[in-house]
Amino acid sequence: VSGAYLSAYDTGNYSIGAAYNIEKLQFGTTSLNSGITIGGINNTDIVFSDSGVYNIVFSVQVTCNTPQAHLFYLWLCLNGSTVADTNSVLTIHGTHGGGNGHSIAAWDFMVQVNAGDFAQLCWSANNTAIAVETIASPAAGIPVSPAVILSVSQV
């Protein structure tokens, strides 16, 4: 079977309870899907119906609400376990001009899974000033910036 796909996003706002807590990205809305679903208690699990190789592509709207820059970490988990050597670190700029610092974390993971496996995108930060947030539309004709956008496709 080939051609499985998923398009999902989330428009929530997510903070970290304490520095270095491990959080999971949530996907509250599924736009399109075939053979891949979102599951788990908080819509954090990317669930694969069929074995194969998949490309997980995502972007995350990260903010910082203090004048100092802080670190944001994001990595891949499969079936609830951290995948070695998948963490990336971003420095999120501090506030400026009266507004929060913003950055988009965007990259992809290529994974091989078995039917029934699930993936999660896990994140953390070195300070509670870091959050994953939806950014409101700044003006008519400009859409909202969702906290998370996810595309998964079988290759």
Side-chain angles (χ1 to χ4, degrees), residues 34-133:
S34 176
I36 308 168
T37 57
I38 297 298
I41 295 170
N42 293 314
N43 295 320
T44 60
D45 301 353
I46 304 163
V47 183
F48 302 92
S49 297
D50 298 306
S51 298
V53 176
Y54 293 82
N55 193 27
I56 301 171
V57 180
F58 57 92
S59 65
V60 182
Q61 181 71 58
V62 186
T63 64
C64 180
N65 66 10
T66 63
Q68 301 80 23
H70 294 289
L71 300 177
F72 172 80
Y73 309 93
L74 194 142
W75 64 95
L76 178 67
C77 288
L78 284 176
N79 298 316
S81 297
T82 297
V83 176
D85 304 320
T86 60
N87 186 43
S88 292
V89 182
L90 295 176
T91 299
I92 309 302
H93 297 285
T95 56
H96 51 84
N100 287 348
H102 296 97
S103 188
I104 295 285
W107 56 90
D108 68 307
F109 293 113
M110 186 84 61
V111 297
Q112 184 163 2
V113 299
N114 295 313
D117 283 353
F118 66 94
Q120 297 168 318
L121 298 175
C122 298
W123 69 279
S124 191
N126 72 334
N127 190 286
T128 58
I130 296 293
V132 172
E133 295 182 340

